[in-house]
Amino acid sequence: MDFTAITAPAWRRFAKEYLLARLAPTLDEVAVLAHAYRTPLALTSCHQRLRALTGWLNWLTSHGVSSLDQVSQQHCDRYLNQRRARHDPDGNPVGPLGDYSVRLIAAVIIELAYYTELFTADRYPPGFLPWSGRSAWAVTGANPPGSNTTPVVRQQVLAPMLAATLYLVGTLAEPITLLRRGLAAHQDQVRALPGSHATPAALRVVLRRHESTGIPLEQVADHIVHGRLARGWADDDPLLAVNLHALARRTGRAKISNTTVQALRPAIEHTLRLVGVERPWGRDAPHVERADGAGPIRWTLPIDEADVRYLADHLFTACLLVTATVTGMRECELMELRTGCRRPPAEDTLDRHRLTGTLVKGQPLGGTRDEWVVIGEVDHAIAVAERLHRTERRDGDLLFGRFAFASRYQHLRSWVNGPAGRRLGLDPIPDDPVNPRMLRRTLAQELAYRPGGLLATKIHLKHVSVATTEGYAARPGGAQAKLLAEISEHETERNQQLILAEYRNHQQQIMPAGPGARDLTALFAHIDAELSAHAPIAPGVLDSDKHVINLLSKRAGTLHLGAANYCWFIDPARALCLTLAGTPTADKPLAGMCDSARCPQATHHPCHRDVWADTVTQATAFLGNLGRTHTAERARLRGELARAQRVLDAIDTASGSSTASDAESE
């Protein structure tokens, strides 16, 4: 940090004391202060505060204030009003400053009063508290942030992105790694060659070998062709695209002279006409299955050295994306992962994979060691990234290190959407912004809204949910605990919106079905009566969504989603799944043992109709295909069909659309 920008030398020590207090709140001198902050700031935040503090102190200096005990509320107001606008280099206002920037300026001015007793160089006058203790948000008039405003990644973007990255990590990782390893070995051999020129006799031997084997000559990269054209080569020169130095390297020498090229030009052109020219890497690429299942194909066309490095970078980015998408790790946590972070599964953990890393946000300087429980796809992605590590692999080296996510993602997207991606059957990725914060929020919402579903049709969310929960149980204060808290917030919001939607359906005479329908309908009727009772007293108060959600919030807290029903887990003693499992005191239902047609706390709604209709269709088809000897299986399927048909009929009857079910049965 540069404190020399503060024009008054006496205040530089003051600025250092303030920032040290924000960086290390556990110091004895700071911890005893009543109003000091208890959470350490990140270095980036300290840089921002230093800029804001420098502006404040330099403004005071320019206005004749030589000591902080001369500062008054008038100084604070004047400075803040002046800083509300952005200025050009000549000092002319060019537009308003953003809310966050204005709030930060006010916050720094206020915070200096919180650490008055700590400062040794200078301090505000005794008892002075800018703006009488009001918060920076209140002073600036900006609205404090409410709910998380980070957008989620659209499914239309998430699905092809995750499909492409998993295809790279799963199918192409091995051939790309082998190709990159071969390139590294080749470059080592080239560096070891003597710097002398190849002789014409040795070159003629190499040319005859090409002619006898039919192996094409090596083609140079496009940028070398452009360089040759710029140096005066004719665009119809047969040797324009031929890698002449590659011929020299096959003789055991590093170079070929222009004199030798001109002398051997007829021989080289003759060989070129016989065998042609082709890029050197990936000529014998093995076949892999296309991503769209359209059959096997060579995983790459012949490419040059630069393309090999680009492919390795794309694979590295794919490993990063898979890890970020499926674990929800923050960007700072991804940067702190190190080679050797994979931990072998313990014998009693059902093959659970674990990663060790560092929790940074909200932690002391240097972070706190943490551990993530992850699924197999993430463990494999980390293993691939370790094999791609640019230096000789040593445990403890940064794995991903500092990365520019935006540029890496755009380069990968361009490759997926380009000829190579289309050739491999990869779906194009739309041009939406994507970053680790958005991926974390998307994962949290997916786990909350579709806990038993799939993440972009690729990753079983149930597996991710179990891994996250186990990570929380192992380290209750760790990063996965924070992710679980975010998921819980989304689940609460989801439940409130679902029960509100069912209440609105009730008002439209679209009723629930199932054994628990009577209790739910009675609750809705009670809410109607309560709203009606207040209407004459306060006719201007409407039953807004927020008001209704407040009335329904307790019941919303009992809602658990099933694939074909809603479970209102009000009384564990009445839960059929717990009774069957012999665990009547459990605090959550057992979705795998749910029999919603008989459980008194289960309801069926129109949104579940398709699931039951599919069950009826499949059971009917199976019955038609069974032979006469399968009597036991026929009896079981008939019972399942009758049960599903009863539920389907009940849903249609309760929702007032029984004709649809009648048409299906015909």
Side-chain angles (χ1 to χ4, degrees):
M1 296 184 189
D2 182 14
F3 293 88
T4 59
I6 300 174
T7 54
W11 281 343
R12 293 172 187 170
R13 177 183 177 86
F14 164 79
K16 293 176 182 178
E17 292 173 340
Y18 163 66
L19 290 176
L20 179 61
R22 294 307 320 267
L23 274 170
T26 57
L27 288 175
D28 292 342
E29 296 83 355
V30 181
V32 297
L33 301 178
H35 300 289
Y37 288 93
R38 307 306 176 191
T39 303
L41 280 183
L43 286 174
T44 302
S45 299
C46 285
H47 277 289
Q48 294 172 347
R49 274 170 163 73
L50 177 58
R51 286 196 298 269
L53 178 59
T54 300
W56 169 233
L57 296 178
N58 289 347
W59 184 88
L60 291 174
T61 301
S62 66
H63 285 73
V65 178
S66 58
S67 175
L68 290 180
D69 62 8
Q70 302 171 8
V71 172
S72 66
Q73 185 58 55
Q74 184 180 8
H75 291 109
C76 300
D77 291 335
R78 288 173 56 195
Y79 178 67
L80 187 62
N81 289 334
Q82 179 179 325
R83 289 301 307 275
R84 286 182 183 274
R86 291 184 294 110
H87 297 79
D88 62 17
D90 297 328
N92 301 313
V94 294
L97 198 62
D99 285 348
Y100 175 81
S101 299
V102 177
R103 189 208 67 84
L104 179 63
I105 293 168
V108 169
I109 296 174
I110 294 170
E111 288 172 8
L112 297 179
Y114 297 162
Y115 297 91
T116 298
E117 299 154 3
L118 175 71
F119 299 136
T120 59
D122 204 350
R123 63 185 68 180
Y124 284 157
F128 175 67
L129 186 59
W131 293 289
S132 302
R134 294 163 61 202
S135 70
W137 290 110
V139 169
T140 58
N143 294 321
S147 59
N148 192 339
T149 58
T150 301
V152 299
V153 180
R154 293 189 302 132
Q155 283 294 317
Q156 294 87 339
V157 178
L158 187 66
M161 181 203 77
L162 193 54
T165 54
L166 289 172
Y167 184 77
L168 271 163
V169 172
T171 303
L172 301 185
E174 190 63 25
I176 290 177
T177 303
L178 290 176
L179 201 62
R180 184 177 182 276
R181 197 172 295 162
L183 175 60
H186 168 74
Q187 291 172 332
D188 289 341
Q189 293 173 358
V190 169
R191 283 191 288 269
L193 291 175
S196 55
H197 293 90
T199 64
L203 287 168
R204 291 182 188 278
V205 172
V206 171
L207 291 173
R208 287 195 295 270
R209 190 180 306 133
H210 274 281
E211 294 171 5
S212 62
T213 60
I215 297 176
L217 301 179
E218 287 192 17
Q219 181 178 344
V220 295
D222 292 339
H223 72 276
I224 296 179
V225 172
H226 297 323
R228 288 177 174 178
L229 291 172
R231 291 194 299 272
W233 284 51
D235 57 4
D236 59 349
D237 190 327
L239 303 187
L240 180 64
V242 176
N243 190 337
L244 300 171
H245 289 296
L247 292 173
R249 288 196 289 268
R250 291 187 179 275
T251 70
R253 296 292 185 268
K255 302 176 184 179
I256 183 172
S257 67
N258 290 333
T259 303
T260 303
V261 170
Q262 296 307 319
L264 293 180
R265 175 176 279 271
I268 298 173
E269 291 181 0
H270 174 73
T271 303
L272 178 62
R273 287 192 295 271
L274 292 177
V275 301
V277 65
E278 191 177 52
R279 300 189 189 277
W281 297 97
R283 289 180 174 181
D284 300 319
H287 286 76
V288 297
E289 188 69 24
R290 280 172 54 103
D292 56 5
I297 190 175
R298 289 191 183 277
W299 76 268
T300 183
L301 298 174
I303 55 178
D304 54 37
E305 291 186 8
D307 290 327
V308 175
R309 290 192 291 270
Y310 293 149
L311 276 173
D313 276 346
H314 297 330
L315 178 57
F316 194 74
T317 303
C319 296
L320 174 64
L321 269 170
V322 169
T323 305
T325 304
V326 184
T327 65
M329 284 186 181
R330 295 186 175 93
E331 193 167 3
C332 57
E333 294 159 358
L334 291 166
M335 291 180 180
E336 289 295 328
L337 287 177
R338 297 178 179 272
T339 55
C341 64
R342 299 162 57 233
R343 289 291 175 262
E347 296 180 358
D348 58 345
T349 57
L350 301 176
D351 198 32
R352 298 294 184 216
H353 302 278
R354 298 176 183 273
L355 303 177
T356 59
T358 303
L359 183 60
V360 176
K361 186 174 181 179
Q363 303 301 312
L365 286 177
T368 302
R369 183 184 177 278
D370 204 354
E371 189 174 83
W372 283 263
V373 179
V374 299
I375 62 175
E377 287 83 351
V378 175
D379 182 79
H380 177 65
I382 295 295
V384 171
E386 288 179 336
R387 293 203 299 272
L388 282 171
H389 212 242
R390 288 181 173 82
T391 60
E392 183 180 351
R393 180 175 176 266
R394 299 189 303 272
D395 285 355
D397 290 342
L398 288 174
L399 180 61
F400 297 120
R402 294 192 64 83
F403 52 81
F405 184 90
S407 62
R408 277 194 167 275
Y409 174 74
Q410 287 302 328
H411 291 157
L412 175 63
R413 178 180 166 275
S414 297
W415 179 83
V416 172
N417 294 358
R422 290 194 297 270
R423 181 177 168 275
L424 291 168
L426 296 172
D427 292 329
I429 304 173
D431 187 17
D432 285 25
V434 174
N435 59 53
R437 285 183 301 163
M438 295 173 64
L439 293 173
R440 178 184 176 89
R441 181 162 169 78
T442 302
L443 177 64
Q445 282 207 356
E446 289 281 330
L447 289 172
Y449 283 78
R450 285 172 288 276
L454 301 175
L455 181 64
T457 73
K458 291 294 178 182
I459 300 294
H460 286 277
L461 284 172
K462 186 64 178 176
H463 299 165
V464 181
S465 178
V466 170
T468 303
T469 305
E470 289 187 4
Y472 161 72
R475 302 181 68 85
Q480 288 186 304
K482 299 179 185 297
L483 177 60
L484 207 60
E486 292 184 30
I487 295 170
S488 179
E489 291 177 4
H490 290 306
E491 286 177 342
T492 300
E493 180 183 354
R494 172 205 70 189
N495 289 356
Q496 291 174 349
Q497 294 302 320
L498 288 176
I499 196 171
L500 175 64
E502 293 308 322
Y503 174 72
R504 295 306 185 198
N505 284 341
H506 164 80
Q507 292 181 316
Q508 300 296 324
Q509 300 303 308
I510 301 174
M511 300 298 180
R518 181 178 299 179
D519 288 346
L520 188 60
T521 303
L523 172 67
F524 291 158
H526 174 73
I527 299 298
D528 279 338
E530 187 166 339
L531 292 173
S532 299
H534 286 81
I537 301 173
V541 179
L542 303 178
D543 56 331
S544 66
D545 286 354
K546 186 174 182 179
H547 185 197
V548 175
I549 287 175
N550 288 337
L551 296 173
L552 294 170
S553 59
K554 183 176 180 180
R555 181 62 62 93
T558 68
L559 175 58
H560 295 263
L561 302 190
N565 67 286
Y566 289 159
C567 171
W568 307 93
F569 194 67
I570 304 169
D571 183 2
R574 298 178 61 202
L576 180 61
C577 58
L578 300 188
T579 301
L580 294 175
T583 57
T585 59
D587 58 355
K588 288 184 179 180
L590 301 174
M593 300 185 67
C594 179
D595 184 356
S596 62
R598 295 194 297 144
C599 181
Q601 299 185 131
T603 57
H604 305 122
H605 302 263
C607 60
H608 302 123
R609 188 184 188 283
D610 289 346
V611 178
W612 291 103
D614 287 344
T615 302
V616 169
T617 302
Q618 292 172 9
T620 303
F622 288 152
L623 276 171
N625 294 328
L626 279 179
R628 294 181 178 179
T629 58
H630 297 81
T631 54
E633 183 66 12
R634 182 180 297 276
R636 186 189 68 80
L637 281 175
R638 281 177 175 169
E640 189 173 303
L641 174 60
R643 169 178 172 270
Q645 188 65 57
R646 284 196 305 271
V647 173
L648 186 61
D649 292 341
I651 292 175
D652 290 337
T653 301
S655 62
S657 57
S658 57
T659 55
S661 181
D662 295 340
E664 278 190 15
S665 61
E666 292 175 2

